[in-house]
Amino acid sequence: MIALAAPNSAGSASSSWVLVVVAVLVSGLLLAGPALRRRYPVVWWVCLGFPVVCIRVARTWRPLMAGCGLAVSRRAALMVVSGLVGSGASPPQPRVPRRGLIRPTRGGFWFLVRLLPGQVPEDFVKAAAAMAHYWGVHAVRVTAWKPGVVRVVASATDPLKAPQIPKQRGAGRLLRVVVGALETGAQWVIDLREVPHWLIVGATRSGKSTLINALVTGLARQPVALVGIDCKGGMELSLYGPRLSALATSRAQTVKLLGALVDLTLDRMTVCRAARVRNVWGLPEDERPVPIVVIVDELAELFLVASRHEKEEAQAASTALIRLAQLGAALGVFLVVAGQRVGSDLGPGVTALRAQLAGRVCHRVADPGTAEMALGDLNPDALHAAQSITPEQAGTAVLASADGWDRARSHLVSEAEAERIAAESAHLTPYVPELVTAGGGTSAGDVPSVRLERLDGDENE
């Protein structure tokens, strides 16, 4: 008997040691939790936050689905009642949607859910707020994954409260800039190769200028030509003067500059046709023309008219912008159009231009019509989210495209920082001869139609 009991006692001793070690580790993590969460939030989330949330989701999944009306009885109501009367048995457990494996993200988690017969994704979208409250997380987003399956994404905390500015290493991939953070915790990336034209709207102090600063300073480090159109006398875009290949500060200058850009685009079309390629990216690298990014600040200044002459200029500018939007993506010309107010009351040209701008960013706006113009034709949920942005959430925006929508916040780039980066990157400003032609007279008595900044690298070194 003694010989048989010895192995069992040794096994129980080892099990006790394992329990002690586990208890010590868990206690240490709990004690160090606040400091770990403050200094290393991702490590804290993986070690403590995520396991706790997984247990909470697993334990509450069935009652939560029943409370939200997403559970289905296994038998008809009359059969259940008759069974209870006849045998006194407890009612059968209702069927709930089958949940997939919970997978962690940097600041949350996600999983897939297979819908029951008769359910649609909108049923789960309505239950998203209840899920967030029940699980004790910041927010829950539900999107359609594929027919019969939805994707549930949860954020444990608000990643837009203090987004981390990524370390810039070199110029990065051409025409791709990290401008902020998404609500999911991922980086907010504007890639002009994927979505070539963007519409950015927002009221004063909503974060629109901050986003433009983040985008332009990111592009300033890349071998691209930056062209500015700022009909408020250049008050906004003159900040980047040393890095701009051209800057128009009035409507008359804008019409001439946009005409030169349209001619340049048509010339590139001829080159591509002669080389039998469909876009400039199909040309050999040494023959590929420099990409041009056109930033238009305050679109309303281009379209508001007070006389017949101004109306003709506005129509000419509108037509040129629409042509650039239609042809530019394949020919290396990209548009970023911004404004405090964008509505159909500015004229039919605004609506036609809006249709060509596939990327949309909406900050807090002063009138619902601007949000409707920016997001209404893409996603009703995105429109509702944009209209819910409060004045205290400066920098927060809703971005939408044909692929879906997200809440995001741009990194804070001060005017002094933007001016410094523009000056440091001045040697990268490409010389575009087609834009020099748009400059008009250069004699002492003439005012150039477009103010040009030509800074050749060899001359400044």
Side-chain angles (χ1 to χ4, degrees):
M1 295 295 292
I2 297 176
L4 293 175
N8 292 335
S9 61
S12 61
S14 62
S15 300
S16 300
W17 274 109
V18 171
L19 292 175
V20 170
V21 171
V22 171
V24 171
L25 290 176
V26 171
S27 301
L29 287 174
L30 291 176
L31 292 174
L36 191 66
R37 184 174 188 176
R38 185 170 55 254
R39 298 189 61 182
Y40 305 100
V42 176
V43 176
W44 173 88
W45 172 247
V46 173
C47 295
L48 284 176
F50 178 67
V52 172
V53 169
C54 281
I55 296 173
R56 187 181 304 157
V57 172
R59 292 184 59 185
T60 61
W61 181 250
R62 181 176 291 276
L64 179 60
M65 292 296 98
C68 294
L70 298 174
V72 179
S73 176
R74 294 181 183 274
R75 290 192 285 176
L78 291 178
M79 294 180 62
V80 172
V81 172
S82 64
L84 290 175
V85 172
S87 62
S90 59
Q93 290 290 331
R95 292 176 60 197
V96 298
R98 191 171 66 185
R99 173 181 52 80
L101 182 66
I102 303 176
R103 305 174 186 274
T105 61
R106 287 180 60 87
F109 60 90
W110 68 275
F111 56 84
L112 301 179
V113 179
R114 183 168 293 279
L115 306 183
L116 294 176
Q119 293 180 338
V120 293
E122 286 73 17
D123 297 333
F124 283 80
V125 172
K126 295 177 182 178
M131 295 180 191
H133 285 287
Y134 210 54
W135 296 333
V137 296
H138 170 69
V140 171
R141 283 274 307 277
V142 180
T143 56
W145 181 258
K146 63 179 182 179
V149 180
V150 296
R151 186 173 186 254
V152 178
V153 181
S155 301
T157 57
D158 186 3
L160 305 184
K161 188 175 182 180
Q164 298 294 320
I165 301 178
K167 294 181 180 180
Q168 183 74 25
R169 296 181 179 178
R173 197 170 72 187
L174 186 64
L175 297 171
R176 182 182 186 273
V177 179
V178 177
V179 296
L182 301 179
E183 190 177 34
T184 59
Q187 292 181 335
W188 178 9
V189 176
I190 291 183
D191 191 337
L192 297 178
R193 290 287 300 274
E194 293 184 0
V195 183
H197 308 308
W198 287 80
L199 173 64
I200 302 173
V201 298
T204 303
R205 298 187 180 278
S206 65
K208 175 172 58 68
S209 297
T210 301
L211 174 57
I212 294 176
N213 284 349
L215 178 61
V216 174
T217 53
L219 291 172
R221 299 183 174 97
Q222 302 182 15
V224 301
L226 300 177
V227 174
I229 295 176
D230 184 359
C231 290
K232 293 190 299 182
M235 291 190 301
E236 296 289 339
L237 298 184
S238 60
L239 187 71
Y240 319 110
R243 185 59 182 84
L244 296 179
S245 295
L247 174 62
T249 59
S250 69
R251 185 182 291 148
Q253 295 175 5
T254 299
V255 171
K256 195 165 187 179
L257 176 58
L258 289 176
L261 287 168
V262 170
D263 293 340
L264 177 147
T265 305
L266 297 177
D267 291 341
R268 292 184 176 187
M269 184 186 299
T270 303
V271 172
C272 291
R273 185 169 61 247
R276 296 185 178 181
V277 296
R278 302 182 64 180
N279 52 58
V280 294
W281 312 110
L283 295 171
E285 187 172 354
D286 57 342
E287 299 178 11
R288 189 179 304 158
V290 62
I292 299 176
V293 181
V294 183
I295 302 104
V296 182
D297 189 75
E298 198 48 64
L299 183 66
E301 290 295 326
L302 277 179
F303 289 89
L304 289 174
V305 296
S307 65
R308 181 174 181 179
H309 175 66
E310 289 185 351
K311 183 178 181 180
E312 293 175 352
E313 286 185 338
Q315 289 178 345
S318 172
T319 302
L321 278 174
I322 294 172
R323 294 192 70 186
L324 288 176
Q326 290 175 336
L327 304 175
L331 300 170
V333 179
F334 308 92
L335 292 180
V336 178
V337 179
Q340 295 185 26
R341 186 180 66 85
V342 179
S344 57
D345 59 310
L346 297 179
V350 173
T351 304
L353 177 62
R354 187 273 305 265
Q356 300 294 329
L357 307 177
R360 313 282 178 81
V361 178
C362 183
H363 296 81
R364 178 182 57 82
V365 293
D367 64 294
T370 298
E372 178 72 28
M373 176 67 75
L375 305 173
D377 62 327
L378 292 180
N379 195 302
D381 294 334
L383 176 61
H384 176 73
Q387 292 173 336
S388 302
I389 300 175
T390 63
E392 293 75 21
Q393 296 174 306
T396 301
V398 172
L399 60 141
S401 65
D403 298 329
W405 67 276
D406 282 291
R407 290 178 75 249
R409 185 176 181 181
S410 56
H411 297 312
L412 178 61
V413 178
S414 65
E415 293 184 358
E417 180 72 5
E419 193 171 8
R420 181 185 65 81
I421 293 176
E424 291 178 353
S425 306
H427 66 283
L428 296 176
T429 305
Y431 171 56
V432 184
E434 292 87 349
L435 300 183
V436 174
T437 305
T442 57
S443 63
D446 296 331
V447 178
S449 298
V450 179
R451 186 172 67 83
L452 295 173
E453 299 288 347
R454 175 182 173 179
L455 297 172
D456 297 332
D458 294 336
E459 296 178 1
N460 288 277
E461 291 181 355

